[in-house]
Amino acid sequence: EVQLLESGGTLVQPGGSLRLSCVASGFTLSSFGMSWVRQAPGKGPEWVSGISGRGDEIYYADSVKGRFTISRDTSKNTLSLQMNSLRAEDTAVYYCAKDPILRFGDDAPGVWGKGTTVTVSS
Amino acid sequence: YVLTQPPSVSVAPGETARIPCGGKNIGIKSVHWFQQKPGHVPVLVIYYDNNRPSGIPDRFSGSSSEHAATLTISRVEAGDEADYYCQVWDSDTNHRLFGGGTKVTVL
């Protein structure tokens, strides 16, 4: 069964850093595009970042570019999101999601994890 | 690029709900639709304009024209009450975008 399990969310002060992880099971991370999507309280989903299966295509939303870094550890079948210079507006549930194909782009993620909560507050 | 959805749509049980998603020249983009019930993860209900993932009832369908895509829910049931989001890929910026969402209320 294809599953995604996020972890790493917690309370962090503004300006701080946090690293989220997403362990994939039931499939090989390097064969599919993956993304991070966040959802602030009471708001709709917001795409954050995406990476192709080969890791040769990486994209970021303008709101996080230069502060967040997406990466993969294929030996651990784990997707990560390094978040630096965190702001109050980064407070959200962060989901990792799996695309149906190798490339990242014009597709829809059909498998989502249950999410991990990041709260940025002093 | 901006996707525009009405905040809410109300429909009686057994009737048809139509949820529009507007965007410039959206007809040339692939549109995907997600359903999200309170406290739950988004679920893909339509991909590539009008395709249903396995397990999604055929009461859900999608269509697209030049300036709007539409998610149609036929024979609406109480269990269809949820927020619905459209999503596209903007090839000019290499960004995925979600619409603001439409809350479907079953009367």
Side-chain angles (χ1 to χ4, degrees), chain B residues 1 5-6 13 18 22-23 26 28-29 32 36 46 51 54 56 68 79 93 96 102 104 106-107:
Chain B
Y1 192 84
Q5 296 182 242
R18 294 181 179 85
I26 196 172
I28 63 172
K29 297 182 182 299
H32 314 290
Q36 187 176 31
I46 292 289
N51 296 276
S54 61
I56 301 301
T93 59
R96 273 190 188 161
T102 297
V104 170
V106 181
L107 302 171

PDB file of all heavy atoms in Angstrom, chain B residues 1 5-6 13 18 22-23 26 28-29 32 36 46 51 54 56 68 79 93 96 102 104 106-107:
ATOM      1  N   TYR B   1      -0.829  34.045 -12.271  1.00  0.00           N
ATOM      2  CA  TYR B   1      -2.060  33.412 -12.767  1.00  0.00           C
ATOM      3  C   TYR B   1      -2.973  33.189 -11.571  1.00  0.00           C
ATOM      4  O   TYR B   1      -2.532  32.724 -10.515  1.00  0.00           O
ATOM      5  CB  TYR B   1      -1.727  32.078 -13.440  1.00  0.00           C
ATOM      6  CG  TYR B   1      -2.870  31.483 -14.216  1.00  0.00           C
ATOM      7  CD1 TYR B   1      -3.128  31.885 -15.520  1.00  0.00           C
ATOM      8  CD2 TYR B   1      -3.712  30.544 -13.628  1.00  0.00           C
ATOM      9  CE1 TYR B   1      -4.184  31.363 -16.233  1.00  0.00           C
ATOM     10  CE2 TYR B   1      -4.774  30.001 -14.331  1.00  0.00           C
ATOM     11  CZ  TYR B   1      -5.009  30.424 -15.639  1.00  0.00           C
ATOM     12  OH  TYR B   1      -6.051  29.899 -16.340  1.00  0.00           O
ATOM     13  N   GLN B   5     -12.856  30.920  -7.787  1.00  0.00           N
ATOM     14  CA  GLN B   5     -13.991  30.058  -7.480  1.00  0.00           C
ATOM     15  C   GLN B   5     -14.983  30.819  -6.610  1.00  0.00           C
ATOM     16  O   GLN B   5     -14.572  31.621  -5.770  1.00  0.00           O
ATOM     17  CB  GLN B   5     -13.551  28.813  -6.707  1.00  0.00           C
ATOM     18  CG  GLN B   5     -12.623  27.877  -7.444  1.00  0.00           C
ATOM     19  CD  GLN B   5     -12.303  26.649  -6.603  1.00  0.00           C
ATOM     20  OE1 GLN B   5     -11.153  26.392  -6.248  1.00  0.00           O
ATOM     21  NE2 GLN B   5     -13.343  25.890  -6.273  1.00  0.00           N
ATOM     22  N   PRO B   6     -16.281  30.550  -6.760  1.00  0.00           N
ATOM     23  CA  PRO B   6     -17.254  31.161  -5.852  1.00  0.00           C
ATOM     24  C   PRO B   6     -17.073  30.581  -4.459  1.00  0.00           C
ATOM     25  O   PRO B   6     -16.763  29.394  -4.313  1.00  0.00           O
ATOM     26  CB  PRO B   6     -18.598  30.751  -6.446  1.00  0.00           C
ATOM     27  CG  PRO B   6     -18.306  29.497  -7.204  1.00  0.00           C
ATOM     28  CD  PRO B   6     -16.916  29.656  -7.727  1.00  0.00           C
ATOM     29  N   PRO B  13     -30.575  17.893  -2.019  1.00  0.00           N
ATOM     30  CA  PRO B  13     -30.247  16.481  -2.297  1.00  0.00           C
ATOM     31  C   PRO B  13     -30.922  16.006  -3.576  1.00  0.00           C
ATOM     32  O   PRO B  13     -32.080  16.351  -3.842  1.00  0.00           O
ATOM     33  CB  PRO B  13     -30.811  15.747  -1.072  1.00  0.00           C
ATOM     34  CG  PRO B  13     -30.859  16.757  -0.001  1.00  0.00           C
ATOM     35  CD  PRO B  13     -31.151  18.068  -0.683  1.00  0.00           C
ATOM     36  N   ARG B  18     -22.937  22.545  -9.670  1.00  0.00           N
ATOM     37  CA  ARG B  18     -21.906  22.922 -10.645  1.00  0.00           C
ATOM     38  C   ARG B  18     -20.969  23.939 -10.014  1.00  0.00           C
ATOM     39  O   ARG B  18     -21.412  24.995  -9.551  1.00  0.00           O
ATOM     40  CB  ARG B  18     -22.542  23.471 -11.922  1.00  0.00           C
ATOM     41  CG  ARG B  18     -23.340  22.412 -12.691  1.00  0.00           C
ATOM     42  CD  ARG B  18     -23.951  22.951 -13.954  1.00  0.00           C
ATOM     43  NE  ARG B  18     -24.679  21.921 -14.685  1.00  0.00           N
ATOM     44  CZ  ARG B  18     -25.930  21.580 -14.447  1.00  0.00           C
ATOM     45  NH1 ARG B  18     -26.611  22.193 -13.477  1.00  0.00           N
ATOM     46  NH2 ARG B  18     -26.511  20.614 -15.155  1.00  0.00           N
ATOM     47  N   GLY B  22     -12.563  29.734 -12.653  1.00  0.00           N
ATOM     48  CA  GLY B  22     -12.226  30.641 -13.728  1.00  0.00           C
ATOM     49  C   GLY B  22     -10.752  30.998 -13.753  1.00  0.00           C
ATOM     50  O   GLY B  22     -10.113  31.101 -12.717  1.00  0.00           O
ATOM     51  N   GLY B  23     -10.241  31.190 -14.955  1.00  0.00           N
ATOM     52  CA  GLY B  23      -8.856  31.610 -15.126  1.00  0.00           C
ATOM     53  C   GLY B  23      -8.624  31.952 -16.588  1.00  0.00           C
ATOM     54  O   GLY B  23      -9.273  31.383 -17.476  1.00  0.00           O
ATOM     55  N   ILE B  26      -8.027  29.209 -19.328  1.00  0.00           N
ATOM     56  CA  ILE B  26      -7.917  27.974 -18.561  1.00  0.00           C
ATOM     57  C   ILE B  26      -8.192  26.755 -19.436  1.00  0.00           C
ATOM     58  O   ILE B  26      -7.788  25.638 -19.124  1.00  0.00           O
ATOM     59  CB  ILE B  26      -8.852  28.001 -17.333  1.00  0.00           C
ATOM     60  CG1 ILE B  26      -8.465  26.915 -16.330  1.00  0.00           C
ATOM     61  CG2 ILE B  26     -10.308  27.858 -17.755  1.00  0.00           C
ATOM     62  CD1 ILE B  26      -9.199  27.002 -15.012  1.00  0.00           C
ATOM     63  N   ILE B  28      -6.841  25.863 -22.046  1.00  0.00           N
ATOM     64  CA  ILE B  28      -5.645  25.235 -22.592  1.00  0.00           C
ATOM     65  C   ILE B  28      -4.794  24.589 -21.485  1.00  0.00           C
ATOM     66  O   ILE B  28      -3.731  24.042 -21.755  1.00  0.00           O
ATOM     67  CB  ILE B  28      -4.779  26.243 -23.375  1.00  0.00           C
ATOM     68  CG1 ILE B  28      -4.269  27.360 -22.464  1.00  0.00           C
ATOM     69  CG2 ILE B  28      -5.563  26.816 -24.543  1.00  0.00           C
ATOM     70  CD1 ILE B  28      -3.252  28.272 -23.143  1.00  0.00           C
ATOM     71  N   LYS B  29      -5.285  24.665 -20.268  1.00  0.00           N
ATOM     72  CA  LYS B  29      -4.560  24.048 -19.153  1.00  0.00           C
ATOM     73  C   LYS B  29      -5.297  22.784 -18.699  1.00  0.00           C
ATOM     74  O   LYS B  29      -6.510  22.638 -18.902  1.00  0.00           O
ATOM     75  CB  LYS B  29      -4.468  25.023 -17.971  1.00  0.00           C
ATOM     76  CG  LYS B  29      -3.691  26.281 -18.255  1.00  0.00           C
ATOM     77  CD  LYS B  29      -3.612  27.162 -17.028  1.00  0.00           C
ATOM     78  CE  LYS B  29      -2.863  28.466 -17.304  1.00  0.00           C
ATOM     79  NZ  LYS B  29      -1.462  28.241 -17.718  1.00  0.00           N
ATOM     80  N   HIS B  32      -7.420  20.030 -12.391  1.00  0.00           N
ATOM     81  CA  HIS B  32      -7.657  18.936 -11.460  1.00  0.00           C
ATOM     82  C   HIS B  32      -8.530  19.444 -10.317  1.00  0.00           C
ATOM     83  O   HIS B  32      -8.488  20.638  -9.985  1.00  0.00           O
ATOM     84  CB  HIS B  32      -6.332  18.413 -10.910  1.00  0.00           C
ATOM     85  CG  HIS B  32      -5.282  18.205 -11.956  1.00  0.00           C
ATOM     86  ND1 HIS B  32      -5.348  17.214 -12.901  1.00  0.00           N
ATOM     87  CD2 HIS B  32      -4.141  18.902 -12.211  1.00  0.00           C
ATOM     88  CE1 HIS B  32      -4.292  17.286 -13.697  1.00  0.00           C
ATOM     89  NE2 HIS B  32      -3.539  18.310 -13.303  1.00  0.00           N
ATOM     90  N   GLN B  36     -12.327  18.244  -0.076  1.00  0.00           N
ATOM     91  CA  GLN B  36     -11.797  18.191   1.278  1.00  0.00           C
ATOM     92  C   GLN B  36     -12.930  18.350   2.285  1.00  0.00           C
ATOM     93  O   GLN B  36     -13.581  19.393   2.335  1.00  0.00           O
ATOM     94  CB  GLN B  36     -10.731  19.267   1.512  1.00  0.00           C
ATOM     95  CG  GLN B  36     -10.044  19.120   2.877  1.00  0.00           C
ATOM     96  CD  GLN B  36      -8.931  20.113   3.090  1.00  0.00           C
ATOM     97  OE1 GLN B  36      -8.969  21.223   2.575  1.00  0.00           O
ATOM     98  NE2 GLN B  36      -7.916  19.730   3.865  1.00  0.00           N
ATOM     99  N   ILE B  46     -11.178  14.584  -9.615  1.00  0.00           N
ATOM    100  CA  ILE B  46     -11.105  14.682 -11.077  1.00  0.00           C
ATOM    101  C   ILE B  46      -9.683  15.094 -11.452  1.00  0.00           C
ATOM    102  O   ILE B  46      -9.136  16.025 -10.855  1.00  0.00           O
ATOM    103  CB  ILE B  46     -12.104  15.718 -11.647  1.00  0.00           C
ATOM    104  CG1 ILE B  46     -13.546  15.261 -11.458  1.00  0.00           C
ATOM    105  CG2 ILE B  46     -11.820  16.007 -13.132  1.00  0.00           C
ATOM    106  CD1 ILE B  46     -13.964  14.078 -12.340  1.00  0.00           C
ATOM    107  N   ASN B  51     -11.315  13.195 -15.815  1.00  0.00           N
ATOM    108  CA  ASN B  51     -11.019  11.799 -15.490  1.00  0.00           C
ATOM    109  C   ASN B  51     -11.198  11.543 -13.998  1.00  0.00           C
ATOM    110  O   ASN B  51     -10.778  12.358 -13.180  1.00  0.00           O
ATOM    111  CB  ASN B  51      -9.580  11.448 -15.895  1.00  0.00           C
ATOM    112  CG  ASN B  51      -9.378  11.530 -17.385  1.00  0.00           C
ATOM    113  OD1 ASN B  51      -9.667  10.605 -18.133  1.00  0.00           O
ATOM    114  ND2 ASN B  51      -8.887  12.684 -17.844  1.00  0.00           N
ATOM    115  N   SER B  54      -9.893   5.879  -9.518  1.00  0.00           N
ATOM    116  CA  SER B  54     -10.675   4.727  -9.088  1.00  0.00           C
ATOM    117  C   SER B  54     -11.263   4.993  -7.704  1.00  0.00           C
ATOM    118  O   SER B  54     -10.612   5.593  -6.843  1.00  0.00           O
ATOM    119  CB  SER B  54      -9.801   3.468  -9.060  1.00  0.00           C
ATOM    120  OG  SER B  54      -8.737   3.642  -8.155  1.00  0.00           O
ATOM    121  N   ILE B  56     -13.873   6.933  -7.142  1.00  0.00           N
ATOM    122  CA  ILE B  56     -14.690   8.145  -7.164  1.00  0.00           C
ATOM    123  C   ILE B  56     -15.969   7.853  -7.951  1.00  0.00           C
ATOM    124  O   ILE B  56     -15.905   7.388  -9.096  1.00  0.00           O
ATOM    125  CB  ILE B  56     -13.924   9.319  -7.801  1.00  0.00           C
ATOM    126  CG1 ILE B  56     -12.641   9.604  -7.013  1.00  0.00           C
ATOM    127  CG2 ILE B  56     -14.818  10.560  -7.863  1.00  0.00           C
ATOM    128  CD1 ILE B  56     -12.837   9.950  -5.555  1.00  0.00           C
ATOM    129  N   ALA B  68     -13.314  28.864 -18.285  1.00  0.00           N
ATOM    130  CA  ALA B  68     -13.760  28.273 -17.033  1.00  0.00           C
ATOM    131  C   ALA B  68     -13.780  26.763 -17.105  1.00  0.00           C
ATOM    132  O   ALA B  68     -14.159  26.181 -18.125  1.00  0.00           O
ATOM    133  CB  ALA B  68     -15.152  28.787 -16.663  1.00  0.00           C
ATOM    134  N   GLY B  79     -23.358  13.374   1.847  1.00  0.00           N
ATOM    135  CA  GLY B  79     -21.929  13.099   2.001  1.00  0.00           C
ATOM    136  C   GLY B  79     -21.030  13.869   1.046  1.00  0.00           C
ATOM    137  O   GLY B  79     -19.806  13.824   1.189  1.00  0.00           O
ATOM    138  N   THR B  93       5.361  30.237 -14.916  1.00  0.00           N
ATOM    139  CA  THR B  93       6.104  30.422 -13.662  1.00  0.00           C
ATOM    140  C   THR B  93       6.579  29.109 -13.056  1.00  0.00           C
ATOM    141  O   THR B  93       7.315  29.117 -12.075  1.00  0.00           O
ATOM    142  CB  THR B  93       5.208  31.122 -12.616  1.00  0.00           C
ATOM    143  OG1 THR B  93       4.043  30.301 -12.388  1.00  0.00           O
ATOM    144  CG2 THR B  93       4.786  32.494 -13.091  1.00  0.00           C
ATOM    145  N   ARG B  96       2.456  25.329  -9.255  1.00  0.00           N
ATOM    146  CA  ARG B  96       1.109  24.769  -9.132  1.00  0.00           C
ATOM    147  C   ARG B  96       0.255  25.767  -8.372  1.00  0.00           C
ATOM    148  O   ARG B  96       0.726  26.405  -7.432  1.00  0.00           O
ATOM    149  CB  ARG B  96       1.135  23.433  -8.361  1.00  0.00           C
ATOM    150  CG  ARG B  96       1.385  22.280  -9.273  1.00  0.00           C
ATOM    151  CD  ARG B  96       1.183  20.961  -8.610  1.00  0.00           C
ATOM    152  NE  ARG B  96       1.640  19.923  -9.525  1.00  0.00           N
ATOM    153  CZ  ARG B  96       1.953  18.709  -9.186  1.00  0.00           C
ATOM    154  NH1 ARG B  96       1.840  18.336  -7.921  1.00  0.00           N
ATOM    155  NH2 ARG B  96       2.348  17.842 -10.081  1.00  0.00           N
ATOM    156  N   THR B 102     -14.480  26.252  -3.022  1.00  0.00           N
ATOM    157  CA  THR B 102     -15.935  26.448  -2.971  1.00  0.00           C
ATOM    158  C   THR B 102     -16.526  25.494  -1.952  1.00  0.00           C
ATOM    159  O   THR B 102     -16.302  24.284  -2.045  1.00  0.00           O
ATOM    160  CB  THR B 102     -16.577  26.171  -4.348  1.00  0.00           C
ATOM    161  OG1 THR B 102     -16.073  27.099  -5.303  1.00  0.00           O
ATOM    162  CG2 THR B 102     -18.090  26.289  -4.259  1.00  0.00           C
ATOM    163  N   VAL B 104     -19.456  23.503  -0.705  1.00  0.00           N
ATOM    164  CA  VAL B 104     -20.736  22.969  -1.168  1.00  0.00           C
ATOM    165  C   VAL B 104     -21.577  22.576   0.040  1.00  0.00           C
ATOM    166  O   VAL B 104     -21.157  21.761   0.859  1.00  0.00           O
ATOM    167  CB  VAL B 104     -20.546  21.764  -2.098  1.00  0.00           C
ATOM    168  CG1 VAL B 104     -21.876  21.066  -2.368  1.00  0.00           C
ATOM    169  CG2 VAL B 104     -19.904  22.209  -3.408  1.00  0.00           C
ATOM    170  N   VAL B 106     -25.210  21.039   1.242  1.00  0.00           N
ATOM    171  CA  VAL B 106     -26.374  20.270   0.821  1.00  0.00           C
ATOM    172  C   VAL B 106     -27.535  20.654   1.735  1.00  0.00           C
ATOM    173  O   VAL B 106     -27.475  20.446   2.944  1.00  0.00           O
ATOM    174  CB  VAL B 106     -26.099  18.761   0.882  1.00  0.00           C
ATOM    175  CG1 VAL B 106     -27.319  17.973   0.419  1.00  0.00           C
ATOM    176  CG2 VAL B 106     -24.887  18.414   0.013  1.00  0.00           C
ATOM    177  N   LEU B 107     -28.542  21.224   1.141  1.00  0.00           N
ATOM    178  CA  LEU B 107     -29.668  21.779   1.913  1.00  0.00           C
ATOM    179  C   LEU B 107     -30.503  20.694   2.595  1.00  0.00           C
ATOM    180  O   LEU B 107     -30.548  19.550   2.148  1.00  0.00           O
ATOM    181  CB  LEU B 107     -30.546  22.626   0.989  1.00  0.00           C
ATOM    182  CG  LEU B 107     -29.800  23.793   0.300  1.00  0.00           C
ATOM    183  CD1 LEU B 107     -30.690  24.432  -0.742  1.00  0.00           C
ATOM    184  CD2 LEU B 107     -29.367  24.819   1.347  1.00  0.00           C
TER     185      LEU B 107
END
